[in-house]
Amino acid sequence: MRRLPKKQAIFLPDEWNIIEDGFHPEKNFMLETIFTVANGYLGLRGNLDEDFPDKSQSFKATYINGFYEEYDITYPEGGYGFAKRGEAMVNVADVKTFEIMIEGEKFNLFSGKIYKHIRKLDMKSGTVVREILWESERGRKIYISFERLACFKRQHLGAINIRIKLLNFSGRIKIVSKIDGNSSNLLETEDVRVGSGIEKFPFETIKAYCNKLNGFLMQKTKKSILSYGCMVDHVLSIKEFFCKSFADKEKNLVIFEIEFDAKQDMEYSLTKYFSYFTQRDVEEDLIEEHCAAEILEAKKIGFNNLLKEQREFLETFWENADVVVKGDPKIQQAIRFSLFSLLQSTGRNGISNIAAKGLTGEGYGGHYFWDSEIYIMPFFIYTQPEIAKMLLLYRYNILDAARKRARELHHRGALYPWRTIAGKECSAYFPAGTAQYHINADIVYAIKKYFEATDDLEFIKNYGAEIVFEVARFYAELGHFSEAKDGKFCIFCVTGPDEYTALVDNNAYTNYMVKMTLEFATNLYTLLKEKDSDAFEKLCRKIELSQNEVLLWKNIADNMYLPYNPELKIIPQDDSFIYKKRLDLSKIPENQFPLLLNWHYLDIYRYQVCKQPDVLLLIYLLRENFSFEDLKNNYEYYEPITTHDSSLSPAIFSILAAELGYLDKAYEYFVYTARMDLDDLNDNTKDGIHAACMGGAWQALVFGFGGMRTNKGVLSFAPKLPERLEYLSFKVRYKGKVLKVEITKSIASYTLLDGESIQLSHHGSSFELKRGQTKEFILVN
């Protein structure tokens, strides 16, 4: 068994803030990720406001969720159906870097003396604030602060406020502000998880102008042929100042040079407002107009009122989503950082989703994976269902692309891409990409859970059922009834969630999830027919769905081959897995993990070794299908051979270990999940957050230590706290009701905050709660 690495935190253990006390340039890459501010649409990587001199230790970036450039995928040896053209999130124009001169001396933390440097991500106000007390090489002392936000209520808008006070002199201040359109993406890298594939500079600048303190830059991608625009404006706290501005389309720049005389001990401020729109939001010829309207409104409102709006938005968010943990302040900090990061990362417009690295870095090219549905979606389903709905709407909006991909592979129905932005399959390695056909079922699973939790029949009628039916149609053609398996329906040559085992027959996760999909599709067919015959008939006509096809789905579901080994009393991961040699992870040097960066895939594929849970994830997701003995036997079998090379892994092990009563082990896995980015446990936070891992941290608390399950339409709980935790509380939205759960070492209590009544279960004991009622249970260790 592999031991999980541990590191010492550099952030102060504050429950609502991420605080860097002091200046840590050696950790700059990682800090840029952590101090990102984003709003689901616009992401501002946490670069220093005055820039970082050593470009090899910094990656300056601004991202727009869902805005991408295309690139050609080349193969030394190609083949039919290989992904040919990829999509990657692009790094757009930078507006957050300033050059500040004090009496001709450049403000630069690498010169002079730093008396104070504190950087704080405030998760209640949704801002990053830097406060600096600095002395120049000539002895001039200044206080300077930067406050940066991306507005949650106005997703196209952001602002930066600079405050400067001269402490031991009076003098001339010059601030150079820019729209710098020379941003580039990361170049090629040996780490397959990072490189974007697109050329260094993917833009053509098609417009650049300035007018005093206002300026605009518009660029178009060279291959995807998508335009975006960025407009800025500046407001100063004094009337007497000098401004020189100029735009250079050829150099992709709009520059503002602002100068004024400052008196000692007087504070001066400059606020920079900026707005981004893309051709995916509005027509190309309306981009400039929309940017201008956003900026005008921002100036009317003012920076302080934008801050107020931000706090109000987050107050509502935390009221619904907060998880309170007592016993270790670092854990409270970590779970709030996880939830805040998910909010910052998540698209809410139906044309974007959640990239694996959020909007903090371009690892994995800014692609959306199954992470969204399996790891992140549960948090939104049970706390912010309106956001969950928009994420599912994104999947509907790329359904036509999924249909096209299925046809390309000679199937009916729809095959969703393993990794994508706008719908194209962007995975160049099909054994761990296209072959992961379970992506279809993962999306259906999220639809099913959303529908169970919300009873949103309108979504099902208008969007969800069409996805489910097309996925079911695809699966019906993916396998066949095999005489060699007693006439059972088998699915050959697929890859399950464990990417260290590829192109196998009858992957258990896939087969069970396909069965779930076909059963759900059959049930939806009957439900729609009964509830809304007009909508039902309209959909059947649209996709040419017949009852005979649905009867086939039911037959397949009833006769799906479900692997089981009676001697080992486990579910084999696939037909060949248990016959391979088991890999002893304790004998592998730690510097060879992750294996995918140090071993050839052929070497990995021939062993019993798992990158992440596969059978165990199946048992977790479809828990009602398996006994406690099934869980225990499979956990004991697969845990010793799982490397946890995927950040998706520890959370699931934590949840299942908690149910098994292995609370110390569950807590260890949970801490690794929760602190992964704040402590940079995998040495790759520089490339961006692990968004799925953050969703997993919420699940580990709620489904793990809270013991929550939603089987058969009933909320059930089986809470138990590990030794290190003293208290846990969270809220759950379910079928329009709001429930608060509080757990201590000795008592679990349930309070219905909203809704007339709700039926619940505590450790197998059913009970009903009325509005405002609380029921307590004594916990027995």
Side-chain angles (χ1 to χ4, degrees):
M1 186 182 305
R2 181 190 175 194
R3 294 187 61 84
L4 299 175
K6 297 180 181 179
K7 289 185 181 180
Q8 189 66 34
I10 72 162
F11 301 111
L12 299 180
D14 187 288
E15 294 185 350
W16 281 105
N17 301 281
I18 310 299
I19 302 173
E20 175 198 14
D21 189 359
F23 185 47
H24 303 89
E26 75 284 358
K27 295 183 180 294
N28 186 63
F29 259 134
M30 183 269 282
L31 294 170
E32 288 179 343
T33 292
I34 298 298
F35 288 109
T36 293
V37 290
N39 58 19
Y41 175 84
L42 178 65
L44 309 170
R45 186 166 162 88
N47 310 104
L48 295 185
D49 306 82
E50 68 280 9
D51 213 352
F52 198 91
D54 185 354
K55 303 305 179 188
S56 67
Q57 296 298 314
S58 173
F59 183 64
K60 191 189 301 183
T62 301
Y63 302 113
I64 298 173
N65 197 355
F67 186 70
Y68 64 94
E69 170 65 312
E70 293 183 348
Y71 58 92
D72 295 324
I73 301 175
T74 57
Y75 303 88
E77 296 182 34
Y80 177 82
F82 282 22
K84 295 180 177 61
R85 203 159 171 89
E87 303 161 344
M89 180 171 68
V90 282
N91 183 7
V92 297
D94 174 62
V95 297
K96 60 186 185 295
T97 308
F98 300 86
E99 182 179 310
I100 300 175
M101 306 292 291
I102 311 292
E103 279 291 293
E105 288 186 278
K106 187 176 181 179
F107 169 64
N108 176 11
L109 294 183
F110 290 86
S111 65
K113 294 180 182 178
I114 303 172
Y115 292 96
K116 172 185 178 183
H117 181 271
I118 293 179
R119 179 160 41 169
K120 179 174 73 172
L121 172 64
D122 186 328
M123 294 180 285
K124 280 187 172 180
S125 69
T127 61
V128 163
V129 179
R130 287 176 70 211
E131 289 191 282
I132 304 151
L133 190 59
W134 176 77
E135 181 180 311
S136 73
E137 291 180 337
R138 296 179 185 174
R140 297 187 178 95
K141 287 186 178 181
I142 68 166
Y143 165 84
I144 184 167
S145 78
F146 301 90
E147 187 164 15
R148 184 186 297 176
L149 82 156
C151 302
F152 282 114
K153 284 190 175 181
R154 306 167 188 272
Q155 291 206 304
H156 298 274
L157 182 70
I160 299 170
N161 179 256
I162 305 173
R163 294 185 294 123
I164 302 176
K165 182 187 290 187
L166 309 185
L167 301 179
N168 64 350
F169 69 104
S170 298
R172 188 79 166 172
I173 295 176
K174 178 180 179 180
I175 301 175
V176 179
S177 172
K178 301 177 183 178
I179 306 176
D180 186 350
N182 292 293
S183 301
S184 62
N185 281 58
L186 285 170
L187 297 177
E188 290 298 321
T189 169
E190 292 183 3
D191 189 338
V192 297
R193 300 166 297 178
V194 179
S196 66
I198 65 177
E199 61 183 273
K200 184 176 181 180
F201 187 68
F203 297 113
E204 174 193 0
T205 298
I206 55 178
K207 194 169 189 177
Y209 71 76
C210 58
N211 181 15
K212 297 181 180 178
L213 295 172
N214 176 276
F216 179 70
L217 180 80
M218 191 169 182
Q219 295 183 312
K220 186 188 290 284
T221 54
K222 295 176 182 176
K223 293 183 178 178
S224 61
I225 318 298
L226 292 172
S227 297
Y228 83 93
C230 172
M231 183 173 287
V232 305
D233 210 336
H234 303 78
V235 174
L236 281 82
S237 63
I238 58 171
K239 294 182 179 179
E240 298 295 326
F241 62 87
F242 169 78
C243 176
K244 181 174 69 173
S245 59
F246 51 93
D248 191 326
K249 179 182 169 184
E250 299 305 315
K251 293 184 177 179
N252 315 304
L253 284 171
V254 181
I255 299 177
F256 308 86
E257 296 180 354
I258 303 165
E259 296 185 56
F260 57 89
D261 291 317
K263 295 181 180 179
Q264 182 176 333
D265 295 328
M266 290 283 290
E267 185 173 279
Y268 302 86
S269 72
L270 177 148
T271 301
K272 182 177 187 178
Y273 300 102
F274 45 90
S275 177
Y276 292 81
F277 276 85
T278 82
Q279 198 173 340
R280 300 196 75 199
D281 308 312
V282 297
E283 294 295 326
E284 183 179 29
D285 58 359
L286 296 177
I287 288 175
E288 183 179 346
E289 178 184 329
H290 276 74
C291 285
E294 201 79 24
I295 292 290
L296 181 62
E297 182 69 12
K299 290 173 66 177
K300 287 180 181 178
I301 293 170
F303 186 73
N304 288 335
N305 284 323
L306 288 179
L307 292 178
K308 183 181 177 183
E309 280 188 357
Q310 192 86 332
R311 284 190 293 268
E312 289 172 349
F313 181 94
L314 286 168
E315 185 178 343
T316 300
F317 170 75
W318 290 118
E319 176 64 24
N320 294 312
D322 193 21
V323 175
V324 179
V325 181
K326 295 180 182 177
D328 186 344
K330 290 190 296 184
I331 293 303
Q332 180 66 86
Q333 179 187 52
I335 190 61
R336 285 188 175 135
F337 178 68
S338 293
L339 304 186
F340 182 73
S341 295
L342 291 180
L343 178 67
Q344 288 199 125
S345 302
T346 303
R348 307 199 297 273
N349 56 10
I351 61 170
S352 60
N353 202 270
I354 312 164
K357 298 297 183 181
L359 295 169
T360 66
E362 57 196 52
Y364 296 106
H367 293 150
Y368 314 135
F369 292 79
W370 71 308
D371 307 20
S372 301
E373 282 74 26
I374 298 302
Y375 285 86
I376 299 170
M377 188 76 77
F379 166 66
F380 289 112
I381 287 175
Y382 299 112
T383 65
Q384 318 275 322
E386 65 283 356
I387 295 179
K389 182 176 181 177
M390 297 308 293
L391 294 175
L392 293 173
L393 185 61
Y394 161 80
R395 292 296 187 183
Y396 181 80
N397 285 332
I398 64 168
L399 178 57
D400 282 344
R403 288 184 175 113
K404 182 178 179 181
R405 178 62 170 161
R407 290 195 300 272
E408 183 180 21
L409 298 185
H410 306 133
H411 292 289
R412 298 174 70 223
L415 174 60
Y416 277 93
W418 179 243
R419 52 192 294 178
T420 191
I421 293 178
K424 287 188 179 72
E425 176 59 81
C426 298
S427 176
Y429 185 63
F430 76 87
T434 297
Q436 296 203 55
Y437 296 109
H438 66 84
I439 177 67
N440 270 6
D442 302 327
I443 294 168
V444 170
Y445 181 85
I447 293 171
K448 183 173 184 284
K449 287 298 180 181
Y450 170 79
F451 185 43
E452 288 175 357
T454 63
D455 290 329
D456 187 353
L457 187 59
E458 287 301 309
F459 173 80
I460 293 296
K461 288 193 299 185
N462 295 322
Y463 310 106
E466 189 173 346
I467 294 174
V468 174
F469 294 160
E470 291 287 35
V471 164
R473 177 175 275 168
F474 174 86
Y475 280 143
E477 292 195 351
L478 186 63
H480 75 283
F481 295 99
S482 173
E483 293 182 7
K485 294 286 188 181
D486 298 322
K488 294 292 185 181
F489 192 84
C490 297
I491 304 176
F492 296 99
C493 202
V494 303
T495 301
D498 170 31
E499 294 176 345
Y500 283 175
T501 308
L503 302 181
V504 296
D505 298 336
N506 291 312
N507 169 255
Y509 179 96
T510 302
N511 284 19
Y512 268 97
M513 292 291 277
V514 169
K515 176 181 171 68
M516 175 276 301
T517 296
L518 297 176
E519 289 173 342
F520 184 50
T522 303
N523 292 337
L524 278 189
Y525 182 86
T526 302
L527 178 70
L528 285 184
K529 190 174 184 180
E530 293 174 352
K531 295 287 187 180
D532 192 330
S533 59
D534 290 342
F536 166 77
E537 291 173 5
K538 181 180 178 182
L539 178 56
C540 288
R541 286 195 302 270
K542 177 182 179 182
I543 65 173
E544 299 179 351
L545 178 64
S546 70
Q547 187 172 5
N548 286 338
E549 206 172 341
V550 179
L551 290 173
L552 173 62
W553 299 345
K554 186 178 188 308
N555 187 32
I556 293 172
D558 291 342
N559 292 281
M560 180 67 66
Y561 176 70
L562 303 175
Y564 184 75
N565 185 285
E567 289 79 24
L568 296 172
K569 296 183 179 179
I570 65 159
I571 300 168
Q573 188 167 298
D574 58 72
D575 282 354
S576 63
F577 190 82
I578 62 174
Y579 302 106
K580 299 175 181 177
K581 182 179 179 180
R582 281 172 72 84
L583 197 59
D584 186 346
L585 301 185
S586 66
K587 294 182 179 179
I588 300 175
E590 187 59 35
N591 63 9
Q592 290 190 24
F593 294 102
L595 296 185
L596 79 160
L597 297 185
N598 296 284
W599 290 27
H600 193 283
Y601 280 118
L602 288 175
D603 206 13
I604 296 173
Y605 290 164
R606 65 173 56 98
Y607 289 103
Q608 281 191 59
V609 61
C610 300
K611 182 183 180 184
Q612 60 208 82
D614 193 299
V615 169
L616 293 177
L617 179 61
L618 159 66
I619 292 175
Y620 167 57
L621 295 179
L622 302 182
R623 188 66 189 86
E624 66 273 21
N625 292 0
F626 305 99
S627 68
F628 185 83
E629 183 183 12
D630 289 332
L631 169 59
K632 188 175 189 303
N633 291 343
N634 283 280
Y635 187 94
E636 300 293 349
Y637 187 88
Y638 287 104
E639 188 197 26
I641 55 172
T642 303
T643 65
H644 307 293
D645 282 348
S646 168
S647 64
L648 308 183
S649 187
I652 306 305
F653 276 86
S654 176
I655 295 165
L656 297 180
E659 183 175 350
L660 290 168
Y662 306 152
L663 293 180
D664 288 343
K665 187 176 287 187
Y667 188 72
E668 181 183 1
Y669 280 124
F670 165 67
V671 171
Y672 186 76
T673 300
R675 296 291 305 186
M676 183 169 290
D677 286 320
L678 289 179
D679 295 346
D680 198 12
L681 294 175
N682 284 355
D683 294 317
N684 61 0
T685 301
K686 63 182 176 62
D687 301 320
I689 60 167
H690 296 79
C693 185
M694 292 170 161
W698 181 86
Q699 292 192 55
L701 284 175
V702 173
F703 292 103
F705 302 130
M708 186 176 107
R709 298 291 185 271
T710 58
N711 301 337
K712 298 178 181 177
V714 176
L715 269 180
S716 64
F717 297 87
K720 54 187 79 169
L721 291 187
E723 185 63 31
R724 294 286 301 276
L725 295 186
E726 300 168 0
Y727 173 87
L728 169 65
S729 77
F730 54 87
K731 292 177 183 174
V732 175
R733 301 182 72 88
Y734 195 71
K735 296 186 182 297
K737 303 164 177 100
V738 180
L739 178 73
K740 183 176 183 179
V741 180
E742 295 181 273
I743 306 163
T744 68
K745 287 285 199 297
S746 58
I747 294 175
S749 69
Y750 306 90
T751 304
L752 185 60
L753 301 178
D754 194 13
E756 291 303 314
S757 66
I758 190 169
Q759 195 72 30
L760 301 171
S761 172
H762 170 85
H763 281 289
S765 176
S766 297
F767 65 99
E768 185 182 29
L769 277 181
K770 303 289 187 182
R771 186 198 301 269
Q773 185 180 1
T774 298
K775 188 165 181 62
E776 293 185 346
F777 293 86
I778 296 175
L779 296 177
V780 180
N781 293 329

